[in-house]
Amino acid sequence: MTFNLSFEKFAKEAHDYVNELAKDLGHPEEKDRVLKIWRAVMHTVRDRIHLGEAMQLIDPLPMIFKGIYVEDWKYSEKPLKDFSTVEEMKEEVKKLQAQYGEEDFPWSKSTEEIISITINSLNRFLQGKQLEHLKDQLPKEVKEIVE
């Protein structure tokens, strides 16, 4: 079997995904900000779910997003974050947005909607019930906003 390791292919996959997510978030022209949002949401999720689920989530992602996902990851058997409410998750996402350089941008959607759209965008890559397994790792209150 031959693997086609092509930078252009990796870049196109990432570019197509970011374009789609930017459109879904209501700001198709703000791709850099959308990447910061994705990073903040996915790092929050990654640090809240179990290691096995976090590892499974990496596999189908485009190569460039795999790198963003694992950046600064201090993984452990037990999730690093233990939030149980939507408000706590929103605070964590906003904290990471600020840490990653996202200014107070006037998003046309609420933080809950941004989290939901970002998590649900993974359906583009996840097979079968993988997205449901991911959602099952989230607290009940958070799971309700991403359904």
Side-chain angles (χ1 to χ4, degrees):
M1 179 179 351
T2 304
F3 289 102
N4 183 7
L5 294 179
S6 163
F7 181 79
E8 287 77 22
K9 177 183 174 248
F10 296 149
K12 181 176 178 355
E13 286 175 343
H15 185 75
D16 290 349
Y17 176 50
V18 136
N19 282 339
E20 185 177 304
L21 183 55
K23 189 169 45 171
D24 290 347
L25 290 171
H27 292 278
E29 71 290 349
E30 295 292 343
K31 292 168 189 67
D32 288 343
R33 284 192 164 100
V34 167
L35 276 172
K36 290 175 186 174
I37 289 286
W38 189 90
R39 185 178 176 204
V41 170
M42 294 312 301
H43 284 185
T44 300
V45 168
R46 173 198 75 192
D47 291 346
R48 176 57 177 83
I49 62 178
H50 293 284
L51 179 61
E53 197 67 43
M55 296 297 286
Q56 286 179 2
L57 185 55
I58 295 170
D59 187 44
L61 294 178
M63 187 64 71
I64 292 169
F65 283 88
K66 289 178 188 197
I68 295 169
Y69 183 82
V70 300
E71 181 183 24
D72 296 327
W73 193 9
K74 293 169 181 53
Y75 56 88
S76 69
E77 287 294 321
K78 184 178 177 211
L80 298 172
K81 304 279 187 232
D82 191 26
F83 56 83
S84 58
T85 68
V86 171
E87 285 305 312
E88 290 171 311
M89 183 173 190
K90 284 171 34 180
E91 285 176 29
E92 185 64 26
V93 168
K94 288 178 182 181
K95 181 180 92 181
L96 289 177
Q97 275 180 262
Q99 180 181 322
Y100 299 152
E102 172 59 34
E103 302 300 322
D104 256 346
F105 182 72
W107 292 97
S108 58
K109 302 191 180 310
S110 69
T111 304
E112 289 95 337
E113 289 175 294
I114 290 170
I115 291 169
S116 178
I117 289 167
T118 303
I119 292 172
N120 284 308
S121 75
L122 298 173
N123 221 8
R124 178 176 179 159
F125 308 109
L126 302 179
Q127 301 292 316
K129 296 193 180 271
Q130 275 185 295
L131 188 58
E132 292 308 312
H133 290 284
L134 169 64
K135 290 177 181 179
D136 286 343
Q137 293 285 314
L138 299 173
K140 183 177 186 241
E141 190 177 304
V142 174
K143 185 178 174 184
E144 289 172 359
I145 70 164
V146 296
E147 296 289 8

